[in-house]
Amino acid sequence: MTKVKIVYASMTGNDEDMADILSEDFEDAGFEVNMSEISQTEVDDYQDADVCIMVSYTYSDGLEGNIPDEGLDFYHDLLETDLTGKIYGVCGSGDTFYQDFCVAVDHFAAAFEQTHAQQGAPSVKVELAPDQDDIAKLDHFAQTIIQKCQ
Ligand SMILES: Cc1cc2nc3c(=O)[nH]c(=O)nc-3n(C[C@H](O)[C@H](O)[C@H](O)COP(=O)(O)O)c2cc1C
């Protein structure tokens, strides 16, 4: 059975909701899903999975790359990890009020590229809470990855 590890960073629940939507999509396809919050997760947990997903909000507080504070250790560990042979995908919520809209998504995608994992679908960026259009985009993101695994 194909295994999916979904890691999310969420302050007010938008990214957790997105992670839930993806989780359901993968489960409906018969994949085994394991989901956890970023500060409770080691990057090594990706080693047990075939598909590695990150869902993260963006936070501009002057820290590196606008990565959520509680996700910085994970981000740094990811840069040092080899995920050759695995598929990755990144999504995230942000707010276009900020100049650096959803940049944490791009930083995580760049970090995954360094791990030698293969991108399973283009990243999805969502404005605040996912609306119907965003849910369709997330479903499409999951389906693209599901097809790559078959
Ligand atoms: C202090 C602060 C700084 C933020 N900085 C950014 C930013 O630089 N870029 C961005 O796209 N969103 C930024 N956001 C918006 C959050 O990423 C957005 O509210 C997101 O939906 C939160 O996701 P969550 O509900 O999963 O916590 C910021 C929010 C706060 C409160």
Side-chain angles (χ1 to χ4, degrees):
M1 193 187 265
T2 309
K3 289 184 180 175
V4 184
K5 176 69 188 173
I6 301 176
V7 182
Y8 66 90
S10 189
M11 211 172 23
T12 57
N14 295 333
D15 288 83
E16 189 174 359
D17 288 349
M18 292 164 65
D20 280 336
I21 292 162
L22 294 176
S23 173
E24 217 176 291
D25 287 337
F26 287 117
E27 276 173 0
D28 286 350
F31 288 22
E32 186 184 319
V33 179
N34 180 286
M35 194 169 111
S36 57
E37 196 274 330
I38 196 162
S39 67
Q40 312 292 320
T41 311
E42 299 292 335
V43 171
D44 268 356
D45 294 357
Y46 277 147
Q47 299 293 1
D48 294 330
D50 307 293
V51 177
C52 310
I53 305 289
M54 170 59 66
V55 188
S56 174
Y57 70 98
T58 297
Y59 197 79
S60 59
D61 56 2
L63 282 174
E64 196 184 338
N66 297 354
I67 305 275
D69 196 12
E70 72 278 19
L72 270 177
D73 285 349
F74 190 99
Y75 172 73
H76 286 130
D77 288 345
L78 185 60
L79 289 170
E80 314 259 290
T81 301
D82 187 346
L83 297 173
T84 303
K86 299 185 189 298
I87 286 177
Y88 82 85
V90 185
C91 300
S93 167
D95 186 341
T96 48
F97 169 82
Y98 296 91
Q99 200 182 349
D100 293 328
F101 176 64
C102 278
V103 293
V105 169
D106 301 325
H107 289 301
F108 274 114
F112 272 116
E113 281 296 313
Q114 284 203 35
T115 70
H116 301 113
Q118 188 200 343
Q119 190 175 37
S123 300
V124 174
K125 297 177 178 179
V126 168
E127 168 90 6
L128 299 169
D131 63 16
Q132 285 308 314
D133 274 3
D134 297 317
I135 292 169
K137 283 182 197 164
L138 291 168
D139 289 343
H140 182 70
F141 169 90
Q143 293 306 328
T144 305
I145 292 174
I146 289 161
Q147 276 166 23
K148 278 233 162 77
C149 296
Q150 280 158 355

